[in-house]
Structure formats: C-alpha cells, structure tokens
Amino acid sequence: MAKLGSGVVLAVVLAVVATLSGAGVNPVDHDQGLGERESAEAAEHEEFGEGEEEEEEEGEAGPAGADDWFATQRLYPFPSLNISALQAGARASAAGIAAAPGIQAAWLQLGPANIGGRVTDLVAHPTQTNTVFAAAATGGVWRSTDAGATFTRAWNPALTPSVGALAITGTGVLYAGTGEANPGGGSVTFPGAGVFRSTDNGANWQALGLTGTDRIGRIAVDPGNANRLFVAAAGNLFVPGGERGLYRTTDGGSTWQLVLPGANGTTGAVDVAVNPSNPNRVYAVMWDHHRQPNGRVYGGTGSGLYRSNDGGTTWTRLAGGLPAAGANLGRMGVAVSRSNPNRLYAIASDTSGDFVGFWTSTNGGDTWTRLTNTSLVSSAQSTFGWWFGRIWVDPANERHVFAAGVNMVESTDAGANWRRSSGFHADQHAMAWDPLTANRVYLGNDGGVYRSASNGSLTATWTKSTNQAHLQFYTVAVSKQDTSRISGGLQDNGSVRSWGGGNWNSILGGDGLMNLIDPTNQNKVYACSQNGSCSRSTNGGDTMTGFGATTSERRNWLTPVVFDPSNPAVMYYGGNRLNRSTNSATSWTAISPDLSHGPGGVDGFPFGTITAIAAARTSPATIYAGTDDGRLWITRNTGGTWTEITAGLPTRWINRVAVDPTDANLAYVAVSGFRNGDPAAHVFRTTNGGTSWQDISGNLPDAPVNDLVLDPRDRTRLYAASDVGVFLTTDTGATWTAAGTGLPLVPVSDLEATDTGTATVLTAATYGLGMYRLG
C-alpha cells in the first residue's frame, strides 16, 4: 500500500499556496464567468412560476460540462464502449429483479412540477383542441390537454426514458424516436431503443424497430401518405458503424429501409424535412461526428445537406452556395416553408461548434444566398452550435423564421434582420404551431414548455407551463427535522428547495450540483454549481454566502462536499486535494496532496479529481477518499498520512464510499462504468479498512452505481442507486431486490435515507423525472 506523509502534504500545499496565492473557488467571480443566468438567479432567488421573466445564458462550459462528466465516468477506462448495448442489457436485467419482501410500497413522485426540464421536441394534435405532446430528454413523452397549462406523463414506465423526436400524422397517430441526438447535457450516455408508435395519445406504445439507432434527431411524416415516414438516425456516438442514416418506411413502421447511409462510419442523419406540396422532395441533414471520453469531433467530411426528388430513393448533396464538404463542417439544420415550399432555410456550425452561416433558398435548394446580418444568430450559437441545429418557419408566412440557440432568434423578413428572445429559459430545442388555434405557438427549451398567443413573437408575452416534472437532478438533500424540506441540484436549472415560497424555488444558479442540509439545523444549507463553486446559508437559503477559499488545482464538475457524521460543522471538500473545514465552510485547510494520478488522469482521461468522500462516525480521524481515475485512499489521522487502498478494486471512476456507523473499518464502495466483458463488478465491501475487498454486486444489473446508502435504522440494509433503478440487499450483497414498486425506468443519481423516528424514508434524485420518495 502506498503511503503519503504529512511532510509531503505540507510541502505540496505550501507550494500551491505560493503559486496560486491561496487560490480557491470564489463563487462570486465564478458566477460572473458563467453568464447572466447564474448571477441573476443567485442574486434574486426567484421562484419559478408561470409567466416568469427569466433571461438566461448558458455557462462557460455550456452543455459540454455535463456531457463530459456523464460520458467519462461511464466510459472510463474503456474509451469505445457500446453503451447502447450495455444499457439495453442492464434494463433487461433490472426488469427481472423482483421487489424486496416487506418493501412493496410504491414510489411517490414529488416533483418539482413548476420548473420544467429539457424538452427536445413538440407536436400539436391536428384534431383534438388544446392537445400537445412534449418529448423530455430523459423523461419520456408528456401530454397536455389544456393548451400546455399542465402536463402528465404519457410514456410506458418500462421504456427507455430518453426521447429525441416526435411526429404526428393528420389523424393523430403519434411517433416517438428515442435517444437524444443533441450530444450534451448528460444525454449521451442514455441511448434510445428505436421508434415507437401510439394510436391512443400515448396511453400505449408499440415498438417499431430501429433498435440499434441509438439517437434519433427527427421524424418526418409524408403529409399525403401517413404510412410513409422518414427517420433521421444519428447513430452511436461512441462506436462507428451500426444503424445510422436516413430510414424510410412505407407501411407505418412495420419495415424500414436505409435510403441515405452516411459517407463513413461516423456519419448519421440528424434532420429531415418533407416538401408539403410535393412529398417526393425530401431534404436530409447528414452529420459526421463522434465522441471519445477525452474529446469530441463534431464535424467531418460526411456532413452536409442532401435532397431527394423521388421520395428518398436517390439523393444529391446540395451546393449552390452552401458549405462544401470538409473536415471542419459540423452540424447543419434545414427547414421548408409550408406556405411556399420553394423557400428553404439552412444553418451550419463548424466542428468545434462555432457558427458558420445562415442561408436561404427560393428555388427549392438549387441555389442559396448566405445572409449577412446574422450577428444575433451567431451569438445565440455561442461555441456549441452542435447543441441546436434547428430552424422553424411560420406555416402561414415564409418570411417569418426562427432559429434555435441559447436564445431563440426571430426574423420577420426572411433573415434580413433578427431579434432575440427574452423572458424564458436558455437553450431552445423545439417549436410547434397549433393547427386548431390561430396564433398559438409552443416552445420547448431546457426549462420546459412555453406558450405564445401572439404567433411566437419574441416581443410578446409567453406563458410557462406547469406540471413538468421531467427534471434532471444530480443530487438530493433532506432535512432530518422535517422530511418535507428537500433541496437538490438540477442540470441547467440551478439548486432548488421545496420550502420558502409555496412552490419549489431557486437558491443558487448555474448547473445545480452538490446540495447539503445540516442534520442538526435545517436552516444551514449548502449548494454548489459546476466545478466546485459553492455557497452556504444560515437562513434556509434565503441568502447565500460563498465558501471560504479552498486549495486545489482541479475540481470535478460535481465536486463532492460532505459532513463529518459526528459533527456537521466539520466538512470535507474534494478538488484534487481534500480540504477540511471546522467552521461550516467559512474557511478550509488542505489535508492531502494530489490524490489522483495527476492532470489528465490516465491516457488523457478522466480529470484527476476526488469524486467520493466519507468520514467514519466512530473515528472522526478516519476518512476515505476516492478519485475519478480509480484510486481510493484512507487516512486515520485526519490527513497526517494517507494510505492507498486501491488494490482489489477495478480501475474505474469511484462514485461513492459509505462507512458503517458502528465500525470505521467496515465500508462499501460503488464504482461507475460498465464491465465490458471484465469480471470487475460495481459494489465492494471491506471489513479491514481497505486491506482487502469483497465483490458484493451479486445479481445487480451491469450499470453504473451512483450512490450507496445504509439504512439509518438497520445497518444490515444497503441500498444502491443506479442508472436503472434502486436496489436493496439484506444479505451483504448475495442477492439484490428492487426497492419498492412503481419507479419508472430512469437513472437515479443520488439517494437519501432519512430516519423519521418511526420509519426510514428514501428520497431519490432522478436524472429525468424529478424527485421520488418511498416510505
């Protein structure tokens, strides 16, 4: 076992302090770097509500930060995993695990319903007034029958939760393409399972195949033949080949034909549009892109816009002023005007995500004019145009056009001039006109669904929908004094709380990450945004003050912060060094050297940071710390010396350490990733402080385990929260059973077990369906 002494710690810390002048994370400065959204939210703590004005800007990392965090921990150390196949196996395995005896109670959805998470597509029903459907990134399909005022889930709870595209026929047959093609925000590691159809407004769904397509960007229905559809399949982001390209069915999905394959193994289709007057004229966007844990290449020679004049049988790559094929051409988007199908619009970004241009055609795509007054369009793409690539045209006015971006941008003169949105959430992904109500338009973004009664005008009022409980939570915290007081960190929606305003409301901006509530004083709350920018409050989150400076060169997207279980005034914060506070985060002292393999980790990834911390209740000087590059350490003298206890564990991202409350040597470790043919498991147990480890994964599905929690009333009961549910063992891992019933298939990213005095209550933070509770 490797050991690091206090002299090494002191020397390194002094060097860091000298070099960085005591550098730590300053939440105020960090917020300024992350844009308008975070500083505004952090300052005002506004309640999320209908009709709110919340101008938001994407953070400096944009959607890439969450993407990097999710992808790296699930891939490491196998850079080319077929996550789609592995997830499918894990889902099937989870479905076969029975509920635990004595825990037959059903999980209860807690919301929040008033905030709203990422929406990837929208369609309005063509014959049923006020009915609209929304696709949630990892939350399935949702239906509203009151013009978007409220939504309810209309998706089979056993189906994959990731939905990327919707389409509806003239008679109301609904199609859903699973797997989000937008490669960011954490969705890349939750692939889909093909195309599904519903003939009863989402009450029931039928699988139609294309199960290996992984990610579907768009579905288009022939307006003259409802049995002919086109599906733009982006394909596996991590493994070349497989099912990708543009697919066509002429029998309503019973059979499929690949009509436009990619030029190479990394090119798939991401957008498709059909000429409404001449359905044999079809336009398809091909996108050459792939992802590795240590980098993304979101462009290539296979990218471009194609046209078919014979219903998809043959295709021609369009030029006439559009970008030529090349290694630096990234994602494009296309839209066809319904009122004049010869009018088209196209947008493009480069491989890195920077804006390339916006074009219009008035002759069906034969020639194109590049528009020049596009500064607002360009700025809306920020540096991640690959996150958007969508255009919409007013069905009644060919010159009224919208382009997606961080902000929505609108032109009423065919792109000659533009105006930008204000008054709703950042990151626009979906738009739909109501065919039965004039001037009613729906919009979907990372904050949910909004409705316009003014034909989508960005200068008019928009109303935000409610009952949108498709939230992506990273973390959960529950008050020990009052279990109705819950806080949590949300993807792109900050840190929120259940108290202090009737509805859930914000306490800190940015991407919401670590959240804590002091177990002895529920008014002392803590919340973090990305990369360890953390704040504290002594009044329940009404006002927040930044942590004192911490010492680390690197901090993870989700920087762990934990209490000492015997004294919550003592806290631990993990960058690449472990920091300790004895005064509730007012000041910090580094008590370890770099516990990782160093910057860049091993072979270029992961990040070289601490990802798991646990202090022992019976021995406060005993602390465990794990890293994203698979190292685990223990100190028995509050950081004076550190001993590496990695031997016997797989080289994978360490997600969580749980220490038995009665024995500092008895601990459990959860690792992320997939086995990929490796016999290494997901959950391990030590009875000797890490000298040796026992695999206790038993029959757990082969999926990342995100949290381990010991029952506070019975330490023989161990819960595991994974990408495919929550499981319980009462026999030290020999067998695992499903904890409770009725939890939909959704990643569970964090779990809290709270002793109410008479029972244990479990609260689960899901990455797609908000909070759930059992007990």
Side-chain angles (χ1 to χ4, degrees), residues 3-338:
K3 291 190 177 182
L4 297 173
S6 57
V8 175
V9 176
L10 179 60
V12 174
V13 171
L14 288 176
V16 172
V17 171
T19 303
L20 303 179
S21 300
V25 175
N26 183 321
V28 176
D29 292 341
H30 194 66
D31 280 346
Q32 290 172 346
L34 291 171
E36 297 173 16
R37 173 186 63 198
E38 298 167 32
S39 57
E41 286 186 351
E44 298 176 19
H45 311 302
E46 290 186 271
E47 179 179 328
F48 293 88
E50 185 173 318
E52 68 181 321
E53 296 270 327
E54 45 168 300
E55 179 64 20
E56 304 207 9
E57 296 292 343
E58 188 63 55
E60 60 186 352
D67 176 21
D68 290 342
W69 184 77
F70 272 98
T72 303
Q73 66 172 287
R74 284 159 176 78
L75 289 172
Y76 181 72
F78 309 109
S80 298
L81 281 181
N82 188 339
I83 288 183
S84 177
L86 293 165
Q87 283 275 17
R91 291 194 293 262
S93 177
I97 296 179
I103 306 190
Q104 299 297 335
W107 288 87
L108 173 66
Q109 221 282 343
L110 299 182
N114 62 304
I115 299 175
R118 184 161 76 254
V119 170
T120 57
D121 211 354
L122 289 164
V123 291
H125 201 289
T127 63
Q128 295 181 10
T129 304
N130 298 329
T131 300
V132 60
F133 299 90
T138 49
V141 177
W142 292 68
R143 179 182 64 242
S144 172
T145 57
D146 54 11
T150 60
F151 279 84
T152 57
R153 199 168 192 243
W155 191 242
N156 186 323
L159 294 179
T160 176
S162 178
V163 181
L166 294 175
I168 196 165
T169 70
T171 58
V173 177
L174 184 63
Y175 291 87
T178 60
E180 183 183 4
N182 306 316
S187 64
V188 296
T189 57
F190 303 114
V195 179
F196 294 81
R197 177 179 62 203
S198 175
T199 58
D200 52 12
N201 284 346
N204 297 281
W205 291 90
Q206 176 189 1
L208 299 179
L210 298 182
T211 56
T213 51
D214 231 51
R215 299 175 301 128
I216 292 175
R218 202 76 58 238
I219 302 175
V221 180
D222 181 337
N225 178 3
N227 285 319
R228 188 167 78 160
L229 290 83
F230 297 88
V231 171
N236 192 310
L237 186 62
F238 301 96
V239 180
E243 290 184 284
R244 65 178 73 224
L246 188 73
Y247 290 83
R248 179 184 64 194
T249 180
T250 56
D251 52 19
S254 295
T255 60
W256 296 92
Q257 179 187 6
L258 177 61
V259 293
L260 182 57
N264 53 44
T266 54
T267 297
V270 72
D271 203 357
V272 59
V274 177
N275 182 313
S277 299
N278 176 15
N280 281 325
R281 175 164 280 192
V282 185
Y283 301 87
V285 171
M286 303 299 286
W287 187 16
D288 186 350
H289 67 300
H290 65 279
R291 176 69 203 276
Q292 295 297 318
N294 56 349
R296 55 180 60 80
V297 181
Y298 285 171
T301 57
S303 299
L305 176 58
Y306 290 75
R307 182 180 66 192
S308 173
N309 292 319
D310 55 12
T313 301
T314 61
W315 294 85
T316 301
R317 191 183 192 281
L318 295 181
L322 290 177
N328 198 38
L329 181 58
R331 182 173 183 173
M332 298 185 70
V334 66
V336 179
S337 166
R338 185 182 303 174

Side-chain angles (χ1 to χ4, degrees), residues 578-604:
L578 187 65
N579 286 249
R580 182 175 188 261
S581 173
T582 58
N583 52 16
S584 302
T586 301
S587 62
W588 297 87
T589 301
I591 62 168
S592 85
D594 187 346
L595 294 180
S596 74
H597 284 292
V602 178
D603 297 328

Side-chain angles (χ1 to χ4, degrees), residues 612-639:
I613 310 165
R617 181 184 298 275
T618 56
S619 174
T622 300
I623 308 157
Y624 295 79
T627 69
D628 57 22
D629 51 11
R631 305 185 85 179
L632 186 64
W633 300 83
I634 189 171
T635 178
R636 297 185 183 278
N637 52 12
T638 321

